[in-house]
Amino acid sequence: MSLTDLALLVVAGFGAGLIGYITGLASVVSYPALLAVGLPPIAANVTNTVALVAVGVGSTAQSGRALLDGDRRQLVGGSIASLIGGVAGAVLLLVTPAGAFEVIVPYLVAIAAIALLVQPMLRRWATSHEDRPWVFVVGVAIIGIYGGYFGAGAGIMILALLLVVTSEPLWRAALSKSLFLGIANTVAAVGFMIFGPVHWWAALAMAIGCLLGGWCGPPVVKRLPAGPLRIAVGLGGLGLALWLGLR
């Protein structure tokens, strides 16, 4: 891999870190960049998972105090669910045939994107019913499985879940999303480091950019209008679903 390729991955990593924190669509930048420098799909997938751990590290280091000011029970429940889901997803990737789960990826991403686009209506429906915290925990665990297995669009799924079944504002939901996705990515990455075909130079270059992008994300997202951002994220998710379906 050339120095030009590594520089490209640093830049792509920064974009992935910033975009990933704000929208939950980090892999729409990072995964294609890894394919562009010549990595095969499975190697790009596991390398992407390892590199994206840095997004959660950067964003959590930047705003960890604000995250702790939220609902502690929800934070703990979501973290445990993400941990379990990430382990299960990594095991699935390592023991099942390549591409077996990717068939449903575009549909999962599209559902999450549509949920974000109609989020105000879903929020009104949700608040008119009895709270069911188990929906949040089970949802995070399922998304954690998906994140550990493939990951593209997992951030937008968690963001959609948080905005629909909790009362968190967008900026705090983005913080929680980064933490939960970071946990799932981290436990999956540990498995991939031991058993998967990680391209270490590519992972390091992209992780440097992701760390910087994740660090810059929290102060940026607080200054963005929630409504237009939600619509932009939803449309971006539909674009990602289309790209994954045609890939």
Side-chain angles (χ1 to χ4, degrees):
M1 184 168 290
S2 68
L3 290 177
T4 301
D5 290 338
L6 294 175
L8 172 65
L9 291 178
V10 172
V11 174
F14 179 83
L18 187 61
I19 292 172
Y21 177 80
I22 295 173
T23 69
L25 293 172
S27 290
V28 76
V29 176
S30 58
Y31 185 69
L34 290 164
L35 294 176
V37 298
L39 270 65
I42 293 297
N45 185 18
V46 299
T47 301
N48 186 51
T49 298
V50 172
L52 289 182
V53 170
V55 178
V57 173
S59 59
T60 303
Q62 170 65 262
S63 53
R65 184 180 297 275
L67 187 61
L68 292 175
D69 289 338
D71 186 334
R72 297 289 182 90
R73 178 179 294 182
Q74 178 176 288
L75 198 64
V76 172
S79 297
I80 294 173
S82 298
L83 178 66
I84 295 171
V87 170
V91 171
L92 277 175
L93 181 64
L94 294 171
V95 302
T96 57
F101 192 65
E102 294 180 26
V103 174
I104 65 171
V105 166
Y107 302 101
L108 294 174
V109 176
I111 290 171
I114 293 170
L116 272 183
L117 290 172
V118 300
Q119 181 262 331
M121 180 178 65
L122 292 175
R123 175 72 65 80
R124 287 194 295 271
W125 178 86
T127 54
S128 65
H129 292 72
E130 181 183 355
D131 289 339
R132 294 180 175 89
W134 65 268
V135 175
F136 165 74
V137 174
V138 171
V140 171
I142 292 173
I143 297 169
I145 294 172
Y146 168 71
Y149 187 96
F150 184 63
I156 193 176
M157 294 177 190
I158 293 181
L159 191 60
L161 178 70
L162 286 164
L163 290 176
V164 169
V165 303
T166 76
S167 59
E168 290 188 344
L170 179 62
W171 69 269
R172 188 178 293 280
L175 281 177
S176 299
K177 176 264 300 175
S178 292
L179 175 65
F180 299 151
L181 187 59
I183 291 172
N185 277 343
T186 299
V187 295
V190 170
F192 296 154
M193 288 175 186
I194 299 171
F195 301 107
V198 178
H199 191 295
W200 288 104
W201 284 111
L204 177 61
M206 181 157 282
I208 291 172
C210 286
L211 182 65
L212 296 174
W215 176 270
C216 294
V220 171
V221 76
K222 280 189 177 182
R223 292 169 173 79
L224 295 177
L229 180 59
R230 175 180 53 79
I231 294 172
V233 172
L235 293 176
L238 289 176
L240 176 59
L242 179 63
W243 177 78
L244 290 170
L246 296 176
R247 184 174 59 84

